[in-house]
Amino acid sequence: MPELPDVEVYLEALERRIGGQVLAGIRLANPFVLRTVQPRPAEFAGARVTGVRRMGKRIVIELDEERFIVIHLMVAGRFRWLQPGANVPGKIGLAAFDFEHGTLGLTEAGSKRRASIHLLRGAESLGAFDRGGLEVMDATPDEFRAALLRERHTVKRSLTDPRLFSGIGNAYSDEILHAAKLSPLKLTDKLDDDEHARLYAATRDTLRLWTERLRHEASDGFPEKVKAFHPGMAVHGRYGQPCPVCGSPVQRIVYAENETNYCARCQTGGRRLADRAMSRLLKEDWPRSIDEVE
């Protein structure tokens, strides 16, 4: 799922293409992508784009007369910049937003349809999408610490909780915790002052680094291939591959449809964290230290 760095790059690309432009119309190839009944898409024809911004992991296109298009790409939703009036792409096409100089296409690969569009009128209507998470790039160390301590969770869960922190998901939380040299399962109320400082710095540095990297990769083009896994990541999506810092194989914890990746030597003092599925299956044979694996 695109997270803060990816969404920021999308916003920059959108601003270059549709900022100040008049929306000629909205075409829906899949009616289920639109999750609101009122206002109707026809009521947005002729509206001028006054800005684009991020709300958590959502993209908000602002138009005049307090009209808003809120788009959540979810896991497989993607934007494509097409020729004016272009057909919505094949089976993966969900919608098209027509402008004078081009068409913004919304697509979603796979069989699951999770991406969504909400059409809203009135600034107060945006409140339903504000989860209240802290914008880390604007936060002081004290504000960051206060958000982290609002609820007792593991640092991994807290970083990815949209009520606590805005725009951070599974991928970049792995990278943040690796940079901070912290176990993903350490409890927030057990962090000492040095660990709080490391986590604050690592969060901001990691998000800034990846925003700059993705911006460079996209160049002037539209970032059509934003994805969760990037070759330059330290641990996320790199299970079994060598940690770029110490060379130990990256470990993982699998749960539901997600997994947490970490380096046991860098983050947990060499201890392998129990994977609910595999550790229960292997029981006594489950290697508890990274030395047993290497």
Side-chain angles (χ1 to χ4, degrees):
M1 181 183 299
E3 301 175 28
L4 187 153
D6 314 89
V7 175
E8 288 292 338
V9 175
Y10 265 133
L11 292 178
E12 293 168 4
L14 286 169
E15 182 63 44
R16 289 194 297 270
R17 284 159 177 78
I18 67 174
Q21 299 298 308
V22 173
L23 177 63
I26 301 172
R27 290 178 283 145
L28 299 176
N30 186 322
F32 298 104
V33 71
L34 181 61
R35 306 297 171 84
T36 49
V37 177
Q38 292 292 339
R40 295 176 295 107
E43 297 178 47
F44 282 66
R48 185 177 299 276
V49 175
T50 57
V52 293
R53 61 185 169 104
R54 179 179 59 82
M55 183 172 284
K57 297 174 188 175
R58 290 178 169 85
I59 291 170
V60 180
I61 301 174
E62 303 176 345
L63 302 106
D64 54 16
E65 297 183 7
E66 289 199 345
R67 286 169 282 186
F68 303 92
I69 302 172
V70 180
I71 299 173
H72 200 323
L73 297 174
M74 293 300 290
V75 176
R78 297 293 182 266
F79 286 130
R80 295 187 181 186
W81 188 245
L82 310 170
Q83 293 298 314
N87 293 329
V88 182
K91 295 181 180 179
I92 63 173
L94 298 179
F97 303 86
D98 292 313
F99 297 90
E100 179 182 358
H101 302 296
T103 290
L104 179 64
L106 176 61
T107 66
E108 187 172 23
S111 58
K112 297 180 180 179
R113 290 291 176 260
R114 296 175 176 173
S116 64
I117 300 172
H118 289 79
L119 302 181
L120 308 174
R121 185 182 290 276
E124 69 282 354
S125 63
L126 288 172
F129 300 94
D130 185 359
R131 302 296 300 279
L134 182 72
E135 291 293 346
V136 176
M137 303 311 294
D138 301 326
T140 66
D142 288 341
E143 290 170 334
F144 180 84
R145 182 172 186 148
L148 201 63
L149 294 175
R150 269 175 53 192
E151 298 181 10
R152 187 177 189 265
H153 294 308
T154 64
V155 285
K156 170 77 175 185
R157 180 177 173 186
S158 290
L159 285 175
T160 57
D161 187 334
R163 298 173 300 116
L164 302 179
F165 297 100
S166 176
I168 303 174
N170 196 42
Y172 292 106
S173 62
D174 280 351
E175 296 300 289
I176 289 167
L177 291 169
H178 179 265
K181 300 186 184 302
L182 286 173
S183 167
L185 299 188
K186 182 142 191 178
L187 294 173
T188 52
D189 62 352
K190 299 298 183 182
L191 296 173
D192 60 30
D193 290 344
D194 178 64
E195 290 170 328
H196 274 288
R198 294 206 316 263
L199 185 57
Y200 173 74
T203 302
R204 289 163 58 89
D205 290 347
T206 299
L207 295 176
R208 185 181 297 111
L209 170 67
W210 277 102
T211 300
E212 292 173 355
R213 284 188 180 182
L214 296 176
R215 183 182 294 129
H216 176 74
E217 289 176 10
S219 186
D220 291 330
F222 199 83
E224 298 179 1
K225 296 182 179 181
V226 175
K227 54 189 181 296
F229 303 104
H230 298 281
M233 285 185 162
V235 290
H236 185 72
R238 300 189 69 246
Y239 173 63
Q241 300 180 51
C243 165
V245 175
C246 71
S248 297
V250 171
Q251 303 301 302
R252 69 180 176 187
I253 307 169
V254 179
Y255 54 99
E257 296 181 355
N258 292 316
E259 64 179 57
T260 292
N261 300 117
Y262 67 98
C263 172
R265 196 168 301 285
C266 291
Q267 296 174 249
T268 63
R271 182 173 59 88
R272 295 186 76 208
L273 304 175
D275 179 292
R276 289 183 178 180
M278 291 303 295
S279 61
R280 286 178 180 175
L281 176 65
L282 297 177
K283 297 182 180 178
E284 289 81 6
D285 292 329
W286 173 253
R288 287 172 173 75
S289 76
I290 195 63
D291 293 325
E292 295 178 57
V293 176
E294 296 177 318

